[in-house]
Amino acid sequence: KLVFLFILAVVAMIAMVYGVLIVAYLFANAKETGAPISPEQFWNLELFAGVSVFLILVIGGRSLFQILMLSKGGSWVAESLGGRPISMDTKDKHERKFVNVVEEMAIASGAPVPSIYLLEGEEGINAFAAGLTVDDAAIAVTRGAITALSRDELQGVVAHEFSHILNGDMRLNVRLMGLLAGIMALAFVGYLVIRMGPRRG
C-alpha cells in the first residue's frame, strides 16, 4: 500500500510540475505575442516527456543512492542518526539495564543479539530498529528511554523493536526511507531553482 502511494505521489508531482510549466509558458507566450490561448495548447507531449524523465531520474537516482547507503546495515543507520554504540560490558547502570534486556529478548526470540546504540542527547522516550536482515540489525534507544523507563517498560519497548526485526518490517522501512529521500530531493531542486531565479526588490 505504501509503495503504491509512493508511485501515486510521483505521478501527482509530474502532473503538478508539468501543469505549472505549461501554464507559465502559455501565459508568457500569450503576453508576448498577444495571441489567445486555446485549450489544445495545454497538452505538449515533448514538455510532458521531458518533465517525466527529469523527475523520474531525480527521484529514482536519489532513492537508489539512499537505499544503497542504508543497505550498509542497521549500525550505519544508527550512527548516521547520531547513535553511540553501547559496549556489552558497560558499567553505566542505565546502559547495563538496556544491554541485559536486549540480550534476554534475543535469547527468548532465538535471534542474534543486534548491535545496540544510544541516542545520547535525546531526552524524549523513543527507540527504533534498523537493518535489512536479522544479522545486520541494530536497536537504538534514546537517553530518555533508558533513564525514565522501568526495566519492565524498557522490556516492552525492546520487544516491540524485536518484532520489527523478526517480521521484516525494518527492511520495508529502510526501502521506504530510500524512496522518501527521492521525493525530498525535489524540495532541494526547487530550492535551487528559486535561489538561482531572478529577484526583484
Side-chain angles (χ1 to χ4, degrees), residues 69-90:
M69 295 303 289
L70 292 170
S71 296
K72 293 181 177 180
S75 295
W76 184 88
V77 175
E79 288 173 16
S80 68
L81 293 173
R84 170 178 65 78
I86 297 178
S87 170
M88 295 307 245
D89 58 357
T90 178

Side-chain angles (χ1 to χ4, degrees), residues 109-111 134 161-170:
S109 63
V134 173
E161 299 310 325
F162 262 89
S163 74
H164 289 311
I165 294 173
L166 297 173
N167 293 325
D169 302 345
M170 65 176 185

Side-chain angles (χ1 to χ4, degrees), residues 116-132:
I116 53 178
Y117 287 83
L118 178 66
L119 301 174
E120 190 72 65
E122 300 288 339
E123 294 303 325
I125 297 174
N126 213 339
F128 69 84
L132 290 177

Side-chain angles (χ1 to χ4, degrees), residues 84-192:
R84 170 178 65 78
I86 297 178
S87 170
M88 295 307 245
D89 58 357
T90 178
K91 303 302 181 189
D92 181 276
K93 67 175 183 179
H94 297 299
E95 293 178 10
R96 182 76 255 159
K97 176 177 68 177
F98 177 48
V99 169
N100 290 343
V101 167
V102 170
E103 287 178 331
E104 289 168 11
M105 287 295 164
I107 293 170
S109 63
V113 177
S115 302
I116 53 178
Y117 287 83
L118 178 66
L119 301 174
E120 190 72 65
E122 300 288 339
E123 294 303 325
I125 297 174
N126 213 339
F128 69 84
L132 290 177
T133 66
V134 173
D135 294 321
D136 72 4
I139 292 179
V141 294
T142 59
R143 170 62 69 179
I146 63 171
T147 55
L149 298 180
S150 67
R151 196 178 196 285
D152 288 344
E153 290 168 336
L154 189 59
Q155 268 187 329
V157 170
V158 172
H160 177 81
E161 299 310 325
F162 262 89
S163 74
H164 289 311
I165 294 173
L166 297 173
N167 293 325
D169 302 345
M170 65 176 185
R171 185 164 53 250
L172 176 62
N173 288 342
V174 162
R175 288 173 181 160
L176 288 172
M177 285 167 65
L179 296 178
L180 184 60
I183 291 179
M184 294 301 294
L186 287 184
F188 180 69
V189 171
Y191 173 77
L192 289 180

Side-chain angles (χ1 to χ4, degrees), residues 7-20 48-49 51-53 55-56 59 186:
I7 293 170
L8 200 61
V10 172
V11 171
M13 282 186 285
I14 290 172
M16 286 187 291
V17 172
Y18 171 78
V20 169
F48 181 78
V51 167
S52 299
V53 170
L55 292 185
I56 288 171
I59 295 171
L186 287 184

